[in-house]
Amino acid sequence: MSSIANGTGANTPESQLESVLPIHPTAARRGNPIVVQSDLTSYTNDHIVSKFTNRNADVAVVEGQYIVTPTTKEYEFQTARKVAKTGLMMVGWGGNNGSTLSATILANRHNIIWRTKGGVQQPNYIGSLLRASTVRLGSDPATGKDIHVPISDVLPMVHPNDLVLGGWDISGARLDEAMKRAQVLDYDLQRQVAPHMAELGAPLPSIYYPDFIAANQEARADNVVPGTDKQAHLEHLRADIRRFKEQNGLDRVIVFWTANTERYSEIIRGVNDTADNLLAAIKSSHPEVSPSTLFAVAAILEGEPFVNGAPQNTFVPGAIQLAELKHSFIGGDDLKSGQTKLKSVFAEFLVNAGIKPLSIASYNHLGNNDGHNLSAEPQFKSKEISKSSVVDDMVAANPLLFEPAQPGAPKGSKAAKGEHPDHIVVIKYVPAVGDSKRAIDEYYSEIFCGGRSTINIFNECEDSLLATPLILDLAILAELLTRIKYRDASAGSKAEFAPLYPILSLLSYMLKAPLVKPGTDVVNSLNRQRNALETFLKACIGLEGSSDLLLETRIW
């Protein structure tokens, strides 16, 4: 074990490197440095309490006129200041994402510094929205300069280094072996972090239903809960969560699906359409109850948040209703890391610029185990669905360019959906490139007076190194949102503070196919997703959302 890893500080070249490389700013601890002095914000030893005015407008269209009525509603937010001791239990812990996340947390925890062919590298949390990006608080009255702070400083949040790690996997490889198998991290980092990874041990046995993932995964399935009784499997998972929580003295456990993409489950009346039917289907071991839904139900029944980081329809209607009944938090679906995140920005840029995308063609190839699993058609269809819907809300927002949906049109027809760009997604498995995914996008658009514009983008990214910071963000935000309650300010102090709605749509920035409250529209615009999260966090300390009006710079 290196001197950096065990903290002995011996007089070696590595320990000398440590002395000139302080902890990276994204991994630093800063306490709670923000104090808002306002009659809208108050502090107790236990809570931050804030008042917030939600401003909107009701719009009625009458004979071609838009009749706009501004609306306001007053809320109070109460945020528990004490951060819960939090565990992160990953389903698929031994996969590329799970092993990479564990190794990078350990590298940051022990400040392990390593060498690459490009020089010396230190651990960090670059790529994390919470740890590596900032928000504008306001401006310095003396200089007029903007003041920005890390998002993680706005409210008390779990530090990634403090997460207690655990989870399940159908492969029984120890975490150090899983990290080596993934071939994601530099060798010198693997060498130094391996002893710490070995101490984590092996994942717990997981649930394996071969019908839901590609047949090519069978060779890895040497660590599975025996039998086919899904009710017994559910009780087994619930016991695992309780045991992990008790053994580590945890206040909160975030259960996170980062395992293989499953095929879509069929939605069947009487099977998974209501909470009672879903629980009955589990008791009868119905074939359409997927492993991911079983994990979600286990977390919901244990009162712990569950986040789905893959594209399948884990949250069948019965699972959503169960979360509502149990007031348990859920979020998903599918990590938005590379090509789709860029697409949500680029499509919005074109539409907002008054340019009409006619087609968006996306091609990917990658060689990690995710790519191997996605080479099977049913699993690819799950991914295709989550990738294809990313431009829908941006297109629907501009009826000048795209013919809107026609009410009463036959279901499934183009008129019922409205005009859309032709949008195709291709994913191919190419083992040689490993975790380094290649993505090619072509945007073919109509411009002024019948002209055409073609923009091609080539994106090469290390898949797991983009995805793992998103898992951190989702877990940290999920824990934070369990500590935030609200009430209608007009009801006064007699009203009790209540938890947020169980579907955590504030997680949307990190997700390809955001899960939202039934009956509400999905927002895929990356800018709107980030602005919503930033505005909410600021509201919890009594600040207004960001304004780019900068009125003081535009008047005398």
Side-chain angles (χ1 to χ4, degrees), residues 360-420:
I360 302 173
S362 298
Y363 166 85
N364 307 255
H365 70 261
L366 69 164
N368 59 21
N369 193 56
D370 184 40
H372 196 201
N373 181 60
L374 290 174
S375 63
E377 182 63 21
Q379 286 68 39
F380 166 71
K381 291 299 294 182
S382 294
K383 178 68 76 171
E384 182 182 38
I385 291 169
S386 74
K387 277 178 164 282
S388 296
S389 61
V390 73
V391 302
D392 287 356
D393 59 317
M394 289 158 262
V395 168
N398 194 329
L400 299 172
L401 295 178
F402 297 95
E403 187 73 26
Q406 300 299 314
K411 189 176 180 180
S413 67
K414 287 186 177 181
K417 184 179 181 183
E419 186 183 7
H420 277 66

Side-chain angles (χ1 to χ4, degrees), residues 211-263:
D211 179 45
F212 280 91
I213 61 174
N216 57 40
Q217 300 300 302
E218 185 177 3
R220 294 168 69 105
D222 59 8
N223 187 47
V224 300
V225 180
T228 59
D229 185 333
K230 294 188 178 182
Q231 181 65 37
H233 290 171
L234 174 63
E235 297 305 326
H236 184 104
L237 297 178
R238 294 184 66 181
D240 283 345
I241 295 170
R242 289 195 297 270
R243 189 180 311 110
F244 181 74
K245 189 174 183 179
E246 182 180 348
Q247 289 176 345
N248 292 285
L250 302 174
D251 305 306
R252 175 66 63 204
V253 176
I254 311 298
V255 181
F256 199 106
W257 180 277
T258 183
N260 283 315
T261 295
E262 298 173 335
R263 67 163 174 84

Side-chain angles (χ1 to χ4, degrees), residues 80-87 156-159 162-164 245 249-254 304 479-480 482-483:
R81 301 180 73 174
K82 182 184 177 183
V83 176
K85 184 177 181 183
T86 303
M157 299 186 195
V158 176
H159 192 288
D162 296 336
L163 288 169
V164 179
K245 189 174 183 179
L250 302 174
D251 305 306
R252 175 66 63 204
V253 176
I254 311 298
E304 304 295 351
E479 187 282 327
L480 169 64
T482 66
R483 289 186 282 117

Side-chain angles (χ1 to χ4, degrees), residues 25 47 50 164 249 360 411 508 519 540 551:
H47 297 105
S50 65
V164 179
I360 302 173
K411 189 176 180 180
S508 295
C540 290
L551 183 61

